[in-house]
Amino acid sequence: MPEDVFALPVDRRLGAHTTLRRVGALPVVVVTHPRVRAAVTLQGAQLLHWQPAGEEPVLWLSETTAFEEGRAVRGGVPICWPWFGAAGRPTHGFARILPWELLDVDESGVGDEAVSGDEAVRLTLVLRASEETRAYWPHEFEVFARFVLGRECRIELEAGGDFESTAALHTYLRVGDLDEVRVTGLGGPYVDKVLDTPVHAAPAAEGVAFRGRTDRVYTHPGDVSPVEDPAGKRVVEVRHEGHTDVVVWNPGADLARSMADVPDDGYREFVCVETAHVSRPLVSTPGAPARLAATLRTVPAA
């Protein structure tokens, strides 16, 4: 997303602080408020930008990604659903490449009457079963994406119907220097997808540093994964809800060079820490939808 997205022409005003604009071929909901700037594309209900006032952007978005209908956008927080990885086609599910409907924009939590520090804009989007989705997956469903965009950022996925699925909130976090980054709070056991090996039992306190291509599914993680970024002078806390796993990913130099939507050195600018439910299925039943949520929060580095 170009940095001037907040200066793009307004297609429609949705509220005092919320507008609909267009980046390439894609409509994007843009939030401009004294306490936060954010952007969510209607395709995929994908958070592209989140920036609390006075801070650098928290999410990474590729400079070379295409904003085209039906093509995945590289960066931000893609919603991987109703499957993760190569369990079906397209990879990571169809939810991230189909248009969602914007149901609600709630600005009641912003303004002079709001509690200082708690101001937020809330967005709700929905994707429902259709002829297009049935070509990928035979189930009837209704899945909601809810965003609370303020000093903290919360993303909730709610999948209703009668089926099993897997899912991940594939969060790309911008970092200052990949060599200095460490992620903790992951627990010990993990599956190494690069080496294609079964669960390891690493010491839980060590966390993970990035020394080449990294693709791990941590199967007994904690509820919070702090991402220590000394060069960025902050820690980003990723708080997980409804998860069974946390996926940690970075393509490394060789894979990045083969990816058209990642600059050759772009891999050094981000790490992915994904709130996930992949080692066991999410179970949705009538009257009991499945939920998965992540909350992002920044704190200054010690």
Side-chain angles (χ1 to χ4, degrees):
M1 181 178 63
E3 285 299 317
D4 63 355
V5 65
F6 298 96
L8 289 173
V10 173
D11 288 351
R12 181 156 53 99
R13 183 158 292 281
L14 305 172
H17 306 286
T18 311
T19 55
L20 189 67
R21 312 188 191 200
R22 185 168 295 271
V23 179
L26 303 183
V28 177
V29 178
V30 176
V31 175
T32 54
H33 183 269
R35 292 193 179 275
V36 65
R37 302 204 309 174
V40 177
T41 180
L42 297 189
Q43 176 173 285
Q46 184 167 342
L47 181 64
L48 302 179
H49 186 95
W50 171 59
Q51 183 179 11
E55 299 190 23
E56 293 298 312
V58 177
L59 302 175
W60 179 85
L61 191 67
S62 173
E63 298 174 355
T64 59
T65 195
F67 290 91
E68 299 176 1
E69 293 182 1
R71 290 189 61 179
V73 174
R74 175 73 65 183
V77 187
I79 292 175
C80 303
W81 187 87
W83 55 79
F84 178 79
R89 289 291 181 269
T91 300
H92 289 320
F94 54 78
R96 67 180 184 151
I97 61 169
L98 294 182
W100 292 51
E101 176 188 353
L102 179 64
L103 280 186
D104 187 53
V105 176
D106 181 1
E107 295 185 344
S108 61
V110 300
D112 295 338
E113 71 281 359
V115 178
S116 177
D118 293 336
E119 295 178 309
V121 174
R122 292 168 172 80
L123 306 177
T124 303
L125 295 88
V126 65
L127 178 67
R128 297 185 174 96
S130 65
E131 289 186 12
E132 191 170 12
T133 68
R134 293 183 196 103
Y136 296 111
W137 200 52
H139 300 284
E140 299 300 305
F141 68 86
E142 189 173 55
V143 59
F144 297 90
R146 300 185 178 95
F147 300 87
V148 180
L149 304 167
R151 178 64 187 83
E152 297 184 356
C153 171
R154 187 172 191 273
I155 308 166
E156 180 189 63
L157 188 69
E158 178 187 300
D162 190 4
F163 50 78
E164 294 185 352
S165 61
T166 55
L169 301 173
H170 197 312
T171 304
Y172 287 75
L173 297 172
R174 182 190 294 256
V175 299
D177 185 346
L178 181 66
D179 290 340
E180 298 183 22
V181 172
R182 189 169 72 110
V183 184
T184 56
L186 299 169
Y190 67 90
V191 177
D192 193 320
K193 297 176 68 178
V194 175
L195 300 177
D196 194 21
T197 57
V199 173
H200 294 262
E206 287 186 1
V208 62
F210 297 85
R211 303 292 181 263
R213 182 181 172 190
T214 303
D215 193 352
R216 297 180 177 183
V217 180
Y218 284 85
T219 55
H220 292 77
D223 292 334
V224 182
S225 301
V227 181
E228 301 168 11
D229 179 18
K233 299 180 181 179
R234 68 184 177 191
V235 176
V236 180
E237 297 177 349
V238 185
R239 182 174 298 276
H240 317 284
E241 301 173 46
H243 64 305
T244 55
D245 316 276
V246 171
V247 179
V248 178
W249 182 76
N250 180 276
D254 291 341
L255 182 57
R257 280 193 290 268
S258 72
M259 302 169 72
D261 56 0
V262 176
D264 285 353
D265 60 352
Y267 74 97
R268 299 191 57 80
E269 301 171 354
F270 71 86
V271 298
C272 289
V273 179
E274 309 170 35
T275 304
H277 207 299
V278 298
S279 61
R280 298 192 300 275
L282 276 165
V283 179
S284 301
T285 60
R291 291 183 174 87
L292 184 69
T295 299
L296 309 179
R297 175 176 176 263
T298 64
V299 296

